Amino acid sequence: MPTAPTTDPLAQLRERRSALVAEMSTLTAAAMTAEQRARFTEADAEVTELDGEIELRERQAERETRAAAARAASGNTGTDAPGTAEQRSGSGWTVGDEPTTYGRGSGHSYFLDMARVAAKQGMGDGGVVASEQRLQRHATELRTDLPRRAERRAAAAARAFERIHETGSPAERRAQARAMAMMDREGVSPFERESRALNRTDGTGGYLVPPLWLIDELIPYLRAGRTFADLWHGMPLPAGTDSINVPRITIGTATGPQVADGGVVPGRDMTDNFVNARVMTIAGQQDVGLQLLDQSPISFDEMILADLASDYNSQLSGQCFVGSGIAGQLPGVWPGGAIANTSGIYIPNTNNTAAQTWVNGGGASPSVTGSVFQSGGQMLSLVARTRLRPPTHHVWHPWVWYYLLTQVDGQQRPLVVPGTPNNVGYNQVAVDDDGPLAMGIAGYYQGLPVVLDPNVPVTFPSSGGTVPQITTVSSGQFAPAPGSGVFTPLLTGLWDDLFLWEGEQRTRALTEVLSGNLQVRFQLYNYVAAMPNRYQAYADVQTGSGPTTVAKAGSSVSYATLTQYSATAGNSVLNMMNQGF
């Protein structure tokens, strides 16, 4: 009986290689003609290609054997276990629980392989051919994993968008459904797609997506982090999105007494609109010499990407503070560094009394009037009054908190008792949460957690001058470039109201523009969108005598800012001048 043809791809490759080697040996037995020499060269090239393919499949078969042994040892009987209907095949690369090509501890450098393949040179770790093969395996792994991640992100984005409309009353939800229907009729989608901007579409595989463990682990590196950004309501950015719209009710329905039986039922027509968030890009790059990549004993995957990712975190949080909303920037709570009642609730405290302290507004006798303590309470009151919910967190620069820790009352007792959590101290202005911090929740003030973020600008001018702002690149360890003043605002808010969408970070390696200098350019970028003004003042909000306008119609009522702009008082509490902090 004839022998059944071999179906094992690896065996077929070996048989093909043996046949080619045998053919080449016959060609070398005697002097070759020009045609025979051409055939010899062709066969030699095919043998070289087969050697690489055989090596790859042998390595994959070895991984599958180890994975099968691990599953057998653990008693795994899932669909990946041998003998099931979805049994793994040795005929191609598949992705399961085995270590990935660029997994931690693999010994291979994703960036370096990208550089070798792009530049077509480099001898380390198997050279260009081996680098290209590893990138192919990496792409295969991502083709399996990233669609699953994309599906999870899309489902999470849809659920998050739906939850926007689940926090209100039934009447509000019905009104929001009406607003969504209005948007549909007008051809406005909650997730607008910009078909022309192909670079706005999220990718799902290929060489340009970094190893997943690099995406998921962002390592801080001597920069202010993303403390403030993490307070916002974070959601995954949907794929293919250029703009996000959230319906908003501007005038609600109304009820009232029916004057008499059979009389007219009172009512009011509802009006609606929507709040828009544009998708922006945050990106950075680093040029590296090929000599450094080839000769360095360390892996640059972690060093370069960790540094770019660290600055991305700082930049994101900085834009949430003072992003202008134009020129590629997210809209921040102080757009372009302008603190005013056109963007949020604004409490200016211009008490110039020289004897002013945290709880004393100044003067010959102690008085809380005009103090920071009183103004802070005004912020809480106005947010609760206009938003109808209280704030959840204060956000301060660390120097303000540590300055408060040194303040004493009229009997020289500290206002903040160190190491007393949960507000159990008697008659305290604030409570220390047991230990100093640079970022995060450090304690409590007026019943709310105080979150420290070094990205809070400390250089606002009293009037005129240059305001802190986001410039071309991050300003050293912090994202905002400093202004020309010495004042630091206090900030409080209901931060779950503020929406922040983020995509998945991506990387690229470019060589063409730097090929003349034997350099490679590595880039990291991500797409983000922010919506700080989801809840807005329906009309001008006024308080005090005059009256004083603290928020304009259309400005956010989810956060409030206290400033201590004093051009003459060197000891103004929020003035860094002469403080030593």
Side-chain angles (χ1 to χ4, degrees):
M1 295 180 62
T3 304
T6 302
T7 58
D8 183 0
L10 185 57
Q12 290 178 344
L13 291 173
R14 289 170 175 161
E15 289 177 3
R16 175 59 179 165
R17 185 185 184 283
S18 299
L20 288 171
V21 170
E23 180 183 357
M24 292 170 64
S25 64
T26 62
L27 293 175
T28 57
M32 291 186 291
T33 64
E35 181 178 352
Q36 290 173 329
R37 186 174 298 278
R39 174 55 188 157
F40 183 90
T41 302
E42 180 183 356
D44 181 67
E46 188 175 353
V47 167
T48 302
E49 182 178 355
L50 287 171
D51 286 341
E53 182 73 11
I54 291 171
E55 180 185 357
L56 289 178
R57 293 183 181 275
E58 287 176 341
R59 191 179 303 157
Q60 177 64 16
E62 181 182 354
R63 281 201 297 265
E64 290 177 352
T65 300
R66 291 199 306 268
R71 286 193 298 270
S74 61
N76 183 2
T77 58
T79 57
D80 283 339
T84 65
E86 297 184 18
Q87 180 177 345
R88 291 169 181 253
S89 170
S91 61
W93 295 320
T94 58
V95 179
D97 297 329
E98 65 272 10
T100 55
T101 304
Y102 295 108
R104 186 179 294 278
S106 66
H108 304 302
S109 169
Y110 165 73
F111 277 162
L112 186 51
D113 282 349
M114 291 180 69
R116 290 193 188 102
V117 171
K120 304 298 182 185
Q121 55 184 303
M123 301 301 295
D125 202 9
V128 176
V129 174
S131 296
E132 186 169 10
Q133 293 167 350
R134 283 191 294 270
L135 288 172
Q136 290 173 355
R137 290 200 304 275
H138 173 60
T140 301
E141 294 164 356
L142 293 179
R143 279 194 295 272
T144 300
D145 191 79
L146 282 185
R148 301 172 186 167
R149 293 169 65 98
E151 290 176 2
R152 292 194 297 269
R153 290 180 62 83
R159 288 194 302 270
F161 192 77
E162 291 171 0
R163 281 197 297 268
I164 296 172
H165 314 296
E166 295 175 357
T167 58
S169 64
E172 288 175 328
R173 290 196 293 271
R174 289 193 297 271
Q176 290 167 342
R178 179 175 177 271
M180 292 288 290
M182 178 270 293
M183 293 167 62
D184 288 339
R185 288 195 303 271
E186 297 182 0
V188 179
S189 168
F191 303 116
E192 292 183 0
R193 297 177 182 270
E194 186 76 29
S195 59
R196 293 172 291 112
L198 297 181
N199 59 343
R200 291 295 183 99
T201 302
D202 292 356
T204 58
Y207 297 167
L208 303 184
V209 180
L212 299 180
W213 68 272
L214 290 178
I215 296 176
D216 297 334
E217 296 186 16
L218 305 180
I219 306 171
Y221 183 71
L222 294 180
R223 289 184 179 87
R226 49 180 296 155
T227 306
F228 184 51
D230 285 340
L231 287 178
W232 292 37
H233 187 114
M235 291 176 285
L237 182 71
T241 301
D242 188 68
S243 180
I244 300 173
N245 300 313
V246 176
R248 172 176 174 264
I249 310 304
T250 56
I251 297 179
T253 57
T255 61
Q258 186 180 18
V259 177
D261 292 351
V264 176
V265 175
R268 179 175 60 202
D269 290 336
M270 183 190 69
T271 62
D272 48 28
N273 205 321
F274 60 89
V275 186
N276 174 263
R278 299 291 297 175
V279 176
M280 306 297 188
T281 305
I282 298 179
Q285 62 186 21
Q286 173 67 56
D287 297 341
V288 181
L290 280 176
Q291 296 88 342
L292 181 60
L293 290 174
D294 278 332
Q295 299 300 118
S296 174
I298 65 174
S299 171
F300 272 77
D301 294 66
E302 294 187 33
M303 180 169 17
I304 295 177
L305 186 60
D307 197 61
L308 286 171
S310 179
D311 201 82
Y312 163 85
N313 288 335
S314 179
Q315 177 71 209
L316 177 64
S317 199
Q319 290 195 30
C320 288
F321 279 120
V322 294
S324 65
I326 59 176
Q329 298 181 21
L330 298 174
V333 297
W334 304 313
I339 300 178
N341 54 14
T342 55
S343 57
I345 298 173
Y346 173 48
I347 310 295
N349 185 335
T350 56
N351 192 323
N352 292 335
T353 304
Q356 184 185 34
T357 63
W358 193 276
V359 295
N360 179 27
S365 59
S367 172
V368 74
T369 302
S371 66
V372 173
F373 181 63
Q374 182 189 64
S375 299
Q378 290 176 333
M379 285 198 297
L380 304 184
S381 171
L382 286 166
V383 172
R385 162 185 161 185
T386 56
R387 175 59 181 88
L388 303 181
R389 284 183 61 189
T392 56
H393 298 79
H394 295 289
V395 180
W396 294 357
H397 191 277
W399 90 263
V400 178
W401 171 253
Y402 291 112
Y403 180 81
L404 174 59
L405 296 186
T406 68
Q407 297 298 292
V408 296
D409 63 13
Q411 303 301 317
Q412 301 302 303
R413 295 171 298 192
L415 299 179
V416 182
V417 178
T420 307
N422 302 322
N423 245 351
V424 297
Y426 174 72
N427 199 28
Q428 294 176 235
V429 171
V431 179
D432 184 11
D433 198 25
D434 196 17
L437 292 174
M439 291 173 279
I441 297 178
Y444 298 84
Y445 175 64
Q446 294 184 331
L448 296 183
V450 177
V451 177
L452 306 185
D453 190 337
N455 254 325
V456 176
V458 298
T459 53
F460 285 92
S462 57
S463 61
T466 302
V467 296
Q469 57 192 289
I470 299 295
T471 53
T472 305
V473 294
S474 300
S475 181
Q477 290 179 289
F478 314 104
S484 59
V486 291
F487 293 95
T488 307
L490 296 188
L491 182 63
T492 190
L494 183 64
W495 302 115
D496 196 58
D497 280 354
L498 282 61
F499 284 176
L500 180 65
W501 290 269
E502 284 188 85
E504 294 220 25
Q505 293 184 18
R506 299 164 179 79
T507 55
R508 295 200 305 168
L510 307 172
T511 60
E512 290 80 1
V513 68
L514 302 172
S515 58
N517 299 324
L518 285 180
Q519 288 183 313
V520 180
R521 174 166 294 169
F522 297 118
Q523 293 181 337
L524 177 144
Y525 62 100
N526 197 6
Y527 302 134
V528 293
M531 185 179 290
N533 60 335
R534 189 162 64 99
Y535 287 95
Q536 301 176 5
Y538 299 114
D540 290 0
V541 179
Q542 298 178 331
T543 186
S545 60
T548 301
T549 301
V550 298
K552 289 286 188 181
S555 64
S556 175
V557 292
S558 297
Y559 54 86
T561 303
L562 166 64
T563 64
Q564 193 73 11
Y565 289 170
S566 170
T568 60
N571 72 334
S572 178
V573 174
L574 303 184
N575 183 340
M576 288 194 70
M577 182 171 56
N578 302 327
Q579 295 294 341
F581 282 83

